[in-house]
Amino acid sequence: HDKSGVIEKIWWLNDHVSELGNLARFQGSELVKSEGMILPLTEAHDYWHLNDVKIVPKLKAEGCLKENDILLSARNLNAIIHLRGDSIIHTYQGSFFKQHDVDIIDQNNISIFNNNTSDILYPWKQKINSNVVIKNLQTNLDSIVYDNIGLKTATEGQFEQIGNYSFFENQNKHEIILCKNNKLVFRGAHKSHFDKSKVNLLNWCQIILPKSI
């Protein structure tokens, strides 16, 4: 849309199934359903479930990512979809499952909040160990970080990094977590201003960090 909020263009993922290649045959897709495979209810009816959309800003250099590219985090496909213009130019899978937040680190690297659960029906598994995956888009290699700070969220969750600080929303536990130089320095809930015995839910909060801390 333009600056006044008027919609100028609508892009439909359903119109680009052929560009997804083998990913369109992965769990949750319409093609799999049409071939008679039985899927869990949530995925069968929500196969394009998008958890995050990021527009690539102007970068210091161009690599796999270019300015105005778009990254889509497709939860039920366990995939990050890379758009350029009107086309899907790449899809990325790896060491992440039911992921949410995706962020641009530089022209060749992204971070992914990895919920790390394959269960999509209630009740969810109790033994969930969420983490952050750093994916190199050139090599397609994943590095798993923050695997031992107690992240445990079957749905939702965010990660932001600035300098030596990393900020997490451990949303299913209603926690804010702050690390410095990869070490835990704060973990706590956001208490309600109206009732100190209760905490505010962090669902879909946006993390805004200053340019320097």
Side-chain angles (χ1 to χ4, degrees), residues 18-35:
S18 63
E19 297 173 25
L20 291 172
N22 290 333
L23 186 64
R25 294 180 176 271
F26 196 66
Q27 58 181 350
S29 75
E30 184 67 33
L31 293 183
V32 171
K33 287 201 306 174
S34 68
E35 291 174 358

Side-chain angles (χ1 to χ4, degrees), residues 54-59 62 65-71 82-85:
K54 288 292 167 60
I55 300 174
V56 178
K58 186 175 182 179
L59 302 169
E62 288 189 348
L65 298 175
K66 297 183 178 180
E67 185 178 4
N68 293 323
D69 284 1
I70 296 175
L71 298 176
H82 185 179
L83 310 182
R84 181 168 295 157

Side-chain angles (χ1 to χ4, degrees), residues 41-60:
L41 183 63
T42 302
E43 293 185 357
H45 292 279
D46 194 14
Y47 40 90
W48 296 143
H49 187 119
L50 295 181
N51 278 337
D52 198 11
V53 178
K54 288 292 167 60
I55 300 174
V56 178
K58 186 175 182 179
L59 302 169
K60 292 181 179 180

